[in-house]
């Protein structure tokens, strides 16, 4: 397995875990605590690594990858969780926790597109 | 009047924000790199982007006038996704490339079709003048 397979796998796993964890909190009507945000930070760290590794791989690849599109997805996916976390923390309610679920789902959706773009499929 | 961006509105703002960024980015790349390929489809992408941006901004701002603009933009969004959805099936030549709204937002898990209904439902619940005795979390 190559580096980007590991990163992609880690993003999928962490994304699903964050989404499910937050969903459980919403269902139980509990607020997200430090542990949840530590998990979010871990996912964010992997996404930042992905941004760096992605740019390096893009520079060295001979694949037919749309550079602008690929980098914009790499950057966009990094922004989703921090914005979601701040937006969620600004209102500590059940809906605020729901924002975390949506942010995690956004990351998963973007990661799917990112993999598509990398493999040369699907246009803009 | 209840804040447009609190409670369920908080989740709605986030989703609208994601779509605003997604549609803006998409139309910017499409129009910037290959505008000639499908001018009609790409212009529609831009229109969708503007609608999402307006809706997101209005939900964030709150207040009676923002509420009114939000209703209009959600209505335009609904008409847009329905008509573009139908048109993309009927007249495939008009759509050599996809837009956010073609095939009823299929490329986006049909969320563009669901979103205007959620938006209008939330705006109905937060209509100016409605009693705010019931607090929604």
């Amino acid at each position: 397995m190559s580096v980007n397979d590991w990163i992609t796998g880690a993003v999928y796993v962490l994304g699903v875990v964050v989404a499910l964890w937050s969903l459980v909190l919403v269902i139980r009507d509990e607020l997200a605590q430090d542990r949840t945000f530590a998990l979010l930070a871990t996912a964010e760290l992997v996404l930042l690594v992905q941004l760096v590794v992605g740019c390096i791989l893009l520079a060295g690849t001979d694949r037919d990858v749309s550079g602008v599109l690929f980098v914009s997805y790499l950057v966009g996916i990094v922004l989703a969780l921090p914005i979601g976390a701040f937006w969620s923390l600004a209102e500590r309610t059940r809906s605020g926790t729901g924002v975390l679920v949506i942010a995690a789902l956004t990351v998963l959706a973007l990661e799917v597109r990112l993999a598509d773009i990398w493999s040369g499929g699907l246009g803009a | 009047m209840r804040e447009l961006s609190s409670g369920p509105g908080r989740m709605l703002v986030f989703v609208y924000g994601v779509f605003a960024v997604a549609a803006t980015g998409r139309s910017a790349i499409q129009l910037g790199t290959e505008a000639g390929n499908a001018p009609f489809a790409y212009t529609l992408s831009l229109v969708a982007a503007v609608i999402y941006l307006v809706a997101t901004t209005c939900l964030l701002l709150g207040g009676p006038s923002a509420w009114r603009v939000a209703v209009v933009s959600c209505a335009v969004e609904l008409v847009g996704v329905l008509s573009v959805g139908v048109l993309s099936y009927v007249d495939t030549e008009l759509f050599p490339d996809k837009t956010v709204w073609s095939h009823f937002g299929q490329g986006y898990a049909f969320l563009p079709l669901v979103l205007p209904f959620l938006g209008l439902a939330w705006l109905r619940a937060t209509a100016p003048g409605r009693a705010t005795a019931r607090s929604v979390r």
Side-chain angles (χ1 to χ4, degrees):
Chain A
M1 268 175 48
S2 62
V3 186
N4 57 335
D5 286 335
W6 281 103
I7 296 175
T8 309
V11 171
Y12 282 140
V13 171
L14 285 166
V16 169
V17 171
V18 172
L20 287 180
W21 186 331
S22 310
L23 187 64
V24 168
L25 292 178
V26 171
I27 292 168
R28 286 189 184 164
D29 199 2
E30 289 171 15
L31 294 178
Q33 305 298 344
D34 286 353
R35 276 191 302 170
T36 315
F37 285 99
L39 188 67
L40 234 68
T42 311
E44 183 62 17
L45 200 66
V46 175
L47 290 172
L48 284 168
V49 171
Q50 175 174 255
L51 172 62
V52 176
V53 173
C55 288
I56 295 171
L57 286 175
L58 180 69
T61 189
D62 50 3
R63 285 161 177 262
D64 183 21
V65 176
S66 166
V68 180
L69 194 65
F70 189 65
V71 173
S72 65
Y73 268 84
L74 281 176
V75 173
I77 201 170
V78 163
L79 296 178
L81 290 181
I83 294 176
F86 280 113
W87 191 235
S88 166
L89 282 169
E91 189 188 288
R92 300 279 279 154
T93 60
R94 202 172 194 170
S95 294
T97 313
V99 171
L100 295 180
V101 179
I102 301 172
L105 293 178
T106 307
V107 167
L108 288 172
L110 290 176
E111 188 70 18
V112 172
R113 299 281 287 206
L114 197 61
D116 282 337
I117 297 166
W118 180 251
S119 52
L122 295 186
Chain B
M1 184 185 155
R2 208 189 299 156
E3 280 282 340
L4 282 179
S5 62
S6 69
R10 183 149 288 261
M11 294 191 277
L12 200 61
V13 169
F14 191 84
V15 179
Y16 263 100
V18 169
F19 271 89
V21 173
T24 307
R26 176 177 203 152
S27 61
I29 288 180
Q30 285 179 331
L31 289 169
T33 58
E34 45 197 19
N37 286 3
F40 182 68
Y42 295 166
T43 308
L44 281 175
S45 282
L46 187 64
V47 171
V50 173
I51 294 291
Y52 287 127
L53 283 173
V54 170
T56 311
T57 312
C58 287
L59 288 174
L60 278 173
L61 285 177
S65 37
W67 182 87
R68 264 180 238 113
V69 179
V71 170
V72 173
S73 60
C74 282
V76 173
E77 184 193 343
L78 180 59
V79 173
V81 70
L82 290 179
S83 47
V84 172
V86 171
L87 207 58
S88 59
Y89 279 109
V90 175
D91 190 347
T92 45
E93 278 185 15
L94 266 179
F95 295 90
D97 200 354
K98 286 191 169 182
T99 77
V100 181
W101 287 343
S102 51
H103 305 109
F104 302 106
Q106 192 185 31
Y108 296 82
F110 294 105
L111 276 176
L113 184 60
V114 181
L115 212 46
F117 287 104
L118 293 178
L120 287 171
W122 176 240
L123 288 167
R124 191 163 177 271
T126 54
R130 263 176 82 107
T132 52
R134 190 172 59 103
S135 88
V136 172
R137 297 183 57 194

